[in-house]
Amino acid sequence: MDVVCFRPRPNANLNDTFIEWGTKGLLKEVLGDHVRFHDVYFEPLDNGKIPDHDLFVVCGTPWIWDQCTLSAKYHDLATALSASKAAKMALGIGACFPFGFECNEVCQAESSMPGLHNVLAPFSGIAVRDRLAKRTCDLLGIRTELLCCPAVFASEYIGAECFERERDTLFFYAPQLGLSAGVLTEHFVQHYLAIQVDYARTLEARVICINQDEARVAGELGLNAELLRSPDEIAEKLASAKTLLSGRVHGCVFTSGMPVPASLLAVDSRFLTYEYCGGKVLMTDTVSTIDSKMLRRCKVNYSKEKKKWKRFLRHSLQSAGVY
């Protein structure tokens, strides 16, 4: 079987590759070793060309936010869908809303999501990874299944259990550079950065980041951040962490199945992805300093969640007539 995986370009956000790894691993367990994957990237779409395929899979990323259907991402998705006659599934769809934002505000606004129902209607199976995505789809009459993010299973890709836990680790994040930058106050940003600096200095933690701008911000704060340039590098650093504080959701989600005490510093509703996995989330306005006692192992039931995923995939594939 030939499967198209529709996903962001790796250089857009290296962590999205963890969703891809987890998604492909789950599909391979269900469909067998004969499955062949073909990556199709958007923003921009790969010359509008899509290889011949039997199944079209949208891999993760936040697809639900205010005015999402007006974005270049949705234009690329609509173009790709129009070129595909195969069965379609969306796996690990997430939402990204500012704190306090109600999804019914989006659903009721005529200018916000004019075509979301039409875009997602052709999918035979849609798995969402947080309760806001689930609630939004429910309000729009789109049937979905709430499951943990596929990135939970990505650690199997590199055999993460073989790594020694070497150092306390900070996966540095500069919120003023992220998706929610436009709605964050200066006070929030400065406090968020100060918490990370305190953690790194108190525990003499290894500091990692994934883009040059964040490395620059970390340097201005007196942190010597190691700039990682590939998903494999990130995975190895996370797998060898003794403890982890992360501002990046999928840094924490990746370690969910490992014995790594971790916490996510929340910036927006994307924290719900890790919370649903059973992870520890720290709301920035409730903490000033962080020590290792505030970090804990994720409570995800790995085998149970994988069984739920495989059951969902089999049912969806059978409904689409491709299993």
Side-chain angles (χ1 to χ4, degrees), residues 150-182:
V152 167
F153 309 107
S155 58
E156 295 180 14
Y157 182 85
I158 62 164
E161 69 280 357
C162 300
F163 285 78
E164 294 184 9
R165 313 298 168 201
E166 297 174 345
R167 294 183 61 185
D168 299 298
T169 300
L170 170 66
F171 199 163
F172 182 78
Y173 182 65
Q176 69 270 37
L177 303 176
L179 290 178
S180 296

Side-chain angles (χ1 to χ4, degrees), residues 2-10 17 20-21 23-24 36-42 45-46 49-51 53 56-57 59 157:
D2 289 280
V3 178
V4 159
C5 292
F6 190 72
R7 52 160 299 199
R9 295 181 179 279
T17 301
E20 175 212 342
W21 290 352
T23 299
K24 289 179 176 177
R36 294 175 296 276
F37 295 107
H38 308 277
D39 291 337
V40 174
Y41 301 113
F42 56 82
L45 187 63
D46 284 338
K49 296 180 180 179
I50 300 178
H53 59 285
F56 184 100
V57 174
C59 293
Y157 182 85

Side-chain angles (χ1 to χ4, degrees), residues 88-117:
K88 300 170 180 64
M89 300 179 71
L91 307 179
I93 300 300
C96 180
F97 296 136
F99 290 134
F101 196 91
E102 295 293 334
C103 53
N104 60 328
E105 295 178 42
V106 174
C107 298
Q108 293 170 3
E110 294 182 3
S111 62
S112 296
M113 294 188 178
L116 184 59
H117 187 279

Side-chain angles (χ1 to χ4, degrees), residues 79-144:
T79 300
L81 289 176
S82 66
S84 173
K85 306 301 180 184
K88 300 170 180 64
M89 300 179 71
L91 307 179
I93 300 300
C96 180
F97 296 136
F99 290 134
F101 196 91
E102 295 293 334
C103 53
N104 60 328
E105 295 178 42
V106 174
C107 298
Q108 293 170 3
E110 294 182 3
S111 62
S112 296
M113 294 188 178
L116 184 59
H117 187 279
N118 292 336
V119 170
L120 296 180
F123 288 79
S124 59
I126 301 175
V128 295
R129 67 190 192 211
D130 64 72
R131 56 183 172 83
L132 270 182
K134 173 67 174 172
R135 177 61 176 155
T136 304
C137 290
D138 286 348
L139 288 171
L140 291 168
I142 301 169
R143 186 175 180 178
T144 63

Side-chain angles (χ1 to χ4, degrees), residues 179-222:
L179 290 178
S180 296
V183 298
L184 300 177
T185 66
E186 181 64 19
H187 173 77
F188 179 95
V189 170
Q190 294 306 317
H191 185 52
Y192 192 97
L193 296 173
I195 292 171
Q196 294 180 89
V197 171
D198 179 76
Y199 171 84
R201 290 177 176 168
T202 301
L203 297 182
E204 297 182 349
R206 172 175 57 196
V207 182
I208 59 176
C209 65
I210 61 173
N211 67 57
Q212 191 67 53
D213 288 334
E214 285 187 336
R216 174 184 53 77
V217 174
E220 292 170 353
L221 295 169

